[in-house]
């Protein structure tokens, strides 16, 4: 059975079957945080959340009509449970409630097995690779999050394996001004007074206990440098926001013309140990930063391992954000080498400039990666290594073609969506680059997300 990622049931005609309850034998996991089942008799595909492969469940349809090609459903009662089913740590990680976590009902080690199956399936289906979960694709836990009984808790304030890891959380705000998270595939907000996967600094910011008038969302960032967390409110379109006082956090407002300080700082500080050194970063306005408290260090080490940059080499860091990989690449190639970083967000480029001002081998370009790769100045350069870390949609054909055209000795692709990675790996293959190594990390415990670091080399 194909485990491709569905969007919305295709045909909308026919009687709405939302709310119908079905007994289902649950099949394999699929990309998107659900498992695949088929209705008895007609064999219609049903994507079921809150289930596990091999279980028998009573599922309530959440989306679909008599004519649609597949239905979506939620397991509201478990008739035969898998041994890896556990009680969710969060009271709203349940059918019909918060859509933030997909896998809280699954033991952590099994979550990683499910994610490895999804990554392998995407690479087989979209990149035509002969790979198997468990051997070729293993999802690795990060320190403190193994969930196998050996975790000793985490330095950041704990909460148990797979919990309190998230240093960046975007809370939606409901009509009464209460922050929370969306119901799965819905605009409805589940108000929260805690989010057990969010870091102590995020929850301790006081954002959840406050009321936010004319605000559509609040983004909270908790840095690792010991400074206060930052809450950035996004006002509802055309409205003046009524903001609470947050004694434990900095507060800012983001509008179309920028991030405006209300109290405290408009940035958080980050410290990352990688490559035998500590690097310091500034991240403004709740801009992009890897979300798991361990992610910056784990990914920076994985990128160094895969790229193996040598002193004097020339590296390219595409989609560079605030300069995480730029910094570790710069330290590895040294002042005799060079690193060109390209990032589309002006604010992130300013942050990177500030953090990397002492590294003369670093050049920062603000602009779209697509345009930079088409720039004659870049096309004429000799590039040894390319690191790219695109957003969820992936790099796409033009960027992959441009990167391969530089003929680097190695490409390191950091990916938060295995389907986008697999599509781009297929394009790299058309340009003479093969997958030479893949590591996958459980940087999003309790959710269906997984981060991959792929190494590609000339075939
Ligand atoms: C997944 S983040 C990676 C950031 C950085 N590598 C890190 O680890 O912190 C992707 C970054 O790409 C930037 N971005 C998205 N589309 C872009 C484009 N077309 N051109 C340049 N940058 C882009 C975003 O602003 C974001 O900073």
């Amino acid at each position: 059975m194909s485990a491709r990622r569905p969007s919305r049931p295709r045909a909308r005609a026919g009687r709405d079957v939302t709310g119908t309850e079905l007994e289902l034998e649950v099949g394999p996991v699929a990309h998107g945080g659900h498992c695949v089942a088929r209705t008895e008799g007609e064999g219609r595909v049903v994507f079921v959340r809150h289930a596990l492969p091999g279980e028998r469940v009573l599922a309530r349809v959440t989306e679909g009509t008599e004519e649609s090609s597949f239905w979506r459903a939620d397991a509201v009662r478990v008739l035969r449970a898998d041994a890896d089913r556990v009680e969710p740590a969060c009271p709203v990680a349940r059918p019909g409630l918060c859509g933030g976590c997909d896998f809280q009902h699954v033991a952590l080690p099994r979550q990683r097995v499910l994610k490895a199956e999804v990554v392998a399936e995407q690479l087989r289906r979209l990149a035509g690779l002969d790979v198997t979960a468990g051997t070729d694709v293993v999802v690795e836990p990060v320190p403190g999050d193994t969930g196998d009984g050996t975790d000793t808790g985490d330095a950041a304030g704990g909460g148990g394996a797979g919990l309190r890891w998230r240093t960046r959380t975007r809370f939606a705000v409901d009509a009464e001004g209460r922050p929370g998270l969306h119901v799965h595939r819905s605009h409805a907000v589940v108000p929260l007074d805690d989010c057990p996967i969010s870091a102590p600094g995020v929850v301790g910011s006081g954002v959840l206990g406050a009321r936010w008038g004319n605000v559509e969302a609040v983004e909270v960032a908790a840095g690792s440098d010991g400074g206060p967390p930052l809450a950035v409110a996004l006002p509802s379109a055309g409205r003046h926001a009524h903001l609470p006082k947050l004694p434990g956090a900095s507060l800012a407002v983001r509008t179309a013309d920028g991030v405006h300080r209300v109290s405290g700082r408009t940035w958080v500080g980050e410290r990352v140990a990688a490559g035998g050194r500590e690097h310091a970063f500034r991240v403004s306005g709740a801009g992009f930063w890897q979300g798991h408290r361990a992610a910056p260090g784990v990914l920076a080490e994985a990128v160094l391992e895969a790229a193996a940059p040598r002193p004097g080499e020339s590296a390219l860091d595409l989609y560079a954000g605030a300069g995480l990989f730029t910094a570790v690449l710069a330290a590895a190639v040294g002042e005799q080498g060079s690193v060109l970083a390209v990032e589309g967000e002006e604010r992130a480029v300013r942050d990177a400039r500030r953090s990397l001002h002492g590294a003369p081998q670093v050049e920062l370009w603000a602009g779209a990666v697509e345009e930079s790769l088409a720039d004659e100045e870049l096309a004429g350069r000799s590039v040894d290594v390319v690191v790219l870390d695109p957003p969820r949609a992936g790099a796409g054909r033009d960027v992959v073609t441009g990167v391969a055209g530089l003929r680097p000795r190695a490409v390191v692709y950091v990916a938060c969506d295995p389907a986008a990675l697999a599509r781009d790996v297929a394009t790299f293959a058309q340009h003479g680059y093969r997958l030479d190594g893949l590591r996958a990390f459980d940087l999003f415990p309790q959710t269906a997300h997984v981060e991959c670091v792929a190494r590609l080399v000339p075939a």
Side-chain angles (χ1 to χ4, degrees):
M1 178 178 295
S2 163
R4 60 185 298 197
R5 186 182 195 182
S7 50
R8 200 163 277 285
R10 261 185 285 281
R12 303 295 295 168
R15 188 176 65 88
D16 186 354
V17 294
T18 304
T20 306
E21 293 193 347
L22 315 155
E23 273 194 34
L24 296 171
E25 286 289 328
V26 180
V29 66
H31 189 317
H34 42 223
C35 294
V36 188
R38 283 187 184 274
T39 55
E40 276 158 24
E42 114 185 285
R44 187 192 309 264
V45 169
V46 187
F47 294 102
V48 194
R49 276 172 67 77
H50 296 109
L52 266 165
E55 288 188 331
R56 186 165 182 84
V57 299
L58 182 71
R60 186 175 298 144
V61 176
T62 52
E63 223 175 296
T65 70
E66 276 175 341
E67 304 297 322
S68 42
S69 51
F70 61 84
W71 293 344
R72 293 176 181 280
D74 225 337
V76 290
R77 189 140 55 89
V78 182
L79 306 174
R80 189 183 63 240
D82 186 90
D84 286 328
R85 179 170 278 275
V86 296
E87 187 60 23
C90 176
V92 294
R94 282 157 214 282
L97 297 175
C98 181
C101 289
D102 314 287
F103 287 160
Q104 275 208 26
H105 62 289
V106 184
L108 263 184
R110 180 68 180 281
Q111 292 184 22
R112 297 194 293 270
V113 170
L114 296 178
K115 295 180 197 195
E117 284 165 10
V118 169
V119 173
E121 210 275 337
Q122 298 302 309
L123 287 169
R124 281 195 300 271
R125 196 172 68 79
L126 297 170
L129 297 177
D130 181 16
V131 289
T132 308
T135 50
D136 308 298
V137 182
V138 175
V139 175
E140 305 171 37
V142 296
D145 279 355
T146 63
D148 63 1
T150 64
D151 302 299
T152 53
D154 69 78
L163 301 174
R164 302 291 176 215
W165 52 265
R166 190 176 186 134
T167 67
R168 302 309 194 261
T169 311
R170 179 188 166 105
F171 295 107
V173 175
D174 74 4
E176 276 85 59
R178 297 172 302 181
L181 290 168
H182 284 126
V183 172
H184 184 62
R185 295 176 64 80
S186 160
H187 294 298
V189 176
V190 179
L192 298 173
D193 51 22
D194 187 15
C195 169
I197 64 168
S198 290
V202 170
V203 177
S205 66
V207 161
L208 290 174
R211 292 294 166 266
W212 303 79
N214 295 336
V215 167
E216 90 184 21
V218 188
E219 294 174 353
V220 190
S224 53
D225 73 342
L230 168 67
V232 179
L234 282 64
S236 309
R239 310 287 292 275
H240 176 73
H242 297 292
L243 303 175
K245 293 223 173 333
L246 286 183
S250 301
L251 181 58
V253 175
R254 185 155 76 228
T255 60
D257 60 346
V259 175
H260 308 280
R261 192 184 87 90
V262 177
S263 63
R265 313 184 307 195
T266 54
W267 52 274
V268 295
E270 299 285 355
R271 292 190 186 282
V272 181
R277 282 182 50 173
E278 187 173 88
H279 301 268
F281 302 88
R282 170 184 282 218
V283 184
S284 294
F288 183 87
W289 187 251
Q290 301 290 349
H292 192 292
R293 59 180 147 68
V298 165
L299 291 177
E301 294 287 5
V303 163
L304 281 179
E305 179 194 77
R310 297 187 279 261
E313 281 197 321
S314 151
L316 200 54
D317 180 16
L318 303 178
Y319 309 94
L324 172 64
F325 303 141
T326 313
V328 293
L329 290 168
V333 300
E335 289 191 15
Q336 306 311 314
S338 67
V339 184
L340 170 58
V342 182
E343 162 59 38
E345 277 263 349
E346 293 273 0
R347 205 159 21 103
V349 177
R350 282 200 298 274
D351 285 339
R353 188 156 289 130
R354 184 182 285 269
S355 307
L356 293 161
H357 66 89
Q361 67 273 42
V362 171
E363 195 181 341
L364 300 166
W365 285 10
V369 166
E370 300 77 345
E371 285 163 24
S372 300
L373 286 169
D375 193 304
E376 276 176 21
E377 202 198 318
L378 179 53
R381 291 191 191 191
S382 155
V383 175
D384 298 300
V385 174
V386 178
V387 174
L388 71 163
D389 181 11
R392 282 194 75 69
R397 181 163 292 279
D398 290 351
V399 169
V400 170
T401 304
V403 168
L406 295 167
R407 303 308 296 165
R409 64 165 178 76
V411 174
V412 178
Y413 190 135
V414 182
C416 60
D417 181 1
L421 171 67
R423 279 192 297 273
D424 287 338
V425 165
T427 310
F428 270 114
Q430 292 164 6
H431 291 285
Y433 278 77
R434 67 178 171 82
L435 186 66
D436 179 51
L438 178 82
R439 292 184 72 185
F441 298 97
D442 194 9
L443 292 178
F444 308 90
Q446 319 296 355
T447 80
H449 297 281
V450 55
E451 191 85 17
C452 295
V453 178
R455 173 182 153 91
L456 296 118
V457 296

